[in-house]
Amino acid sequence: MNATAPTQTDFAPRWREGLDEEYATLSATLERLLPCLEVPLHLPWIDAIQRLKRERGAVVMAHSYQSPEIFHGVADVTGDSLALAQAAATCDAEVVVLCGVHFMAETAKILAPQVKVLIPDARAGCSLADSITAADVRLLRARHPGAPVVSYVNTTAEVKAESDACCTSANAVQVVEAMGADKVIFLPDRYLGAHVASRTDVQLVLWDGRCEVHETFTAAQARHARERFDARLVAHPECPPEVLAEADFVGSTTAMGAWLAREQPERVALITECSLADNLRLQFPATEFIKPCNLCPHMKRITLQNIHACLRDLSGEVFVPGDVAVRARRALERMLAVGRRDAA
């Protein structure tokens, strides 16, 4: 890695002769997902980021909720929370730029402590992560002595450090059952917890955390998508129970893709964050995507412009205190040991 910071001029985004030909394939992809007039405006930024990645020895990881110009334009690794965590655990890059929210960047740093992890906008938070503290977890343990704690990965490093294991929506049931206990404290998402409770005999103690993107969906919206557009319904388990009851399939973002591959519906409504449908449309051109979706305001804080800035300046570095990281890593490693078990 070049230790000397590149100058503004060296890696400034600019239109140059041949840029459109060089990125013709990507342009054709993005024109299927974005207004076509936007694409030429993105190309200089994409080009500058690609050059900075080579200069920095950097890998860009992007969550499935990132906008198409990021997900398809500059990301080297894409996927849901579990996929990004698995990639971080085996990462050998010098720099990782995490295009997602802050807990994801913390997770990458915990699993790859030797890597410089950057987040393009430190304000990219999460309503679930903000809903509970490490002190809350200690209080729950005191109220339910002997009950192990399983924390959804959408939590801060401090909360993970107080937990026995982490999970994602892709393996939550299996992680809970792997605790080998009759009662488990499951936090912080109440709706995901209720969904997990319906699929296991383990008694769950739930916390009243909710995702601000998924909690606002209603059963009426789901029924409207089915009745008005004759669409199959696929919902994320962070949605309220009455929405899940309307769905043809409930699963993690990756499991949604697997369901689409198997079922190949003529029309589908993905009841989740909007960009997931954008990013899946390329894989399933024969399926029409109806979008009763919500945008995550935190995910959308990540832009090509601030990805470029953090790579240029090596800014937005994420740090996790050593003692917290050691304990949180144990909980994350239990999650990784279970792996992806969500039914497709």
Side-chain angles (χ1 to χ4, degrees), residues 230-286:
D230 190 28
R232 305 285 296 279
L233 305 181
V234 177
H236 195 280
E238 292 174 20
C239 294
E242 60 269 22
V243 174
L244 302 187
E246 298 286 339
D248 296 289
F249 178 74
V250 176
S252 69
T253 55
T254 297
M256 289 180 184
W259 183 90
L260 288 168
R262 185 181 73 241
E263 297 293 325
Q264 300 184 25
E266 181 179 353
R267 295 183 191 85
V268 68
L270 300 187
I271 307 175
T272 185
E273 213 276 345
C274 292
S275 290
L276 179 63
D278 289 330
N279 294 322
L280 284 174
R281 276 161 51 199
L282 286 177
Q283 294 177 239
F284 304 102

Side-chain angles (χ1 to χ4, degrees), residues 1-18:
M1 182 174 67
N2 188 342
T4 303
T7 67
Q8 297 276 346
T9 304
D10 289 339
F11 293 95
R14 62 184 183 276
W15 189 269
R16 55 180 171 81
E17 186 176 353

Side-chain angles (χ1 to χ4, degrees), residues 72-140:
H72 297 286
V74 299
D76 303 292
V77 178
T78 59
D80 60 11
S81 295
L82 181 55
L84 297 185
Q86 289 169 326
T90 58
C91 181
D92 60 359
E94 297 180 62
V95 176
V96 165
V97 179
L98 201 298
C99 298
V101 294
H102 196 268
F103 77 78
M104 296 177 184
E106 282 189 331
T107 297
K109 183 63 179 177
I110 292 164
L111 292 171
Q114 76 286 357
V115 174
K116 185 185 291 288
V117 176
L118 311 178
I119 186 167
D121 190 329
R123 299 171 299 168
C126 173
S127 59
L128 282 171
D130 290 343
S131 73
I132 190 163
T133 67
D136 293 324
V137 182
R138 291 191 290 270
L139 181 60
L140 284 167

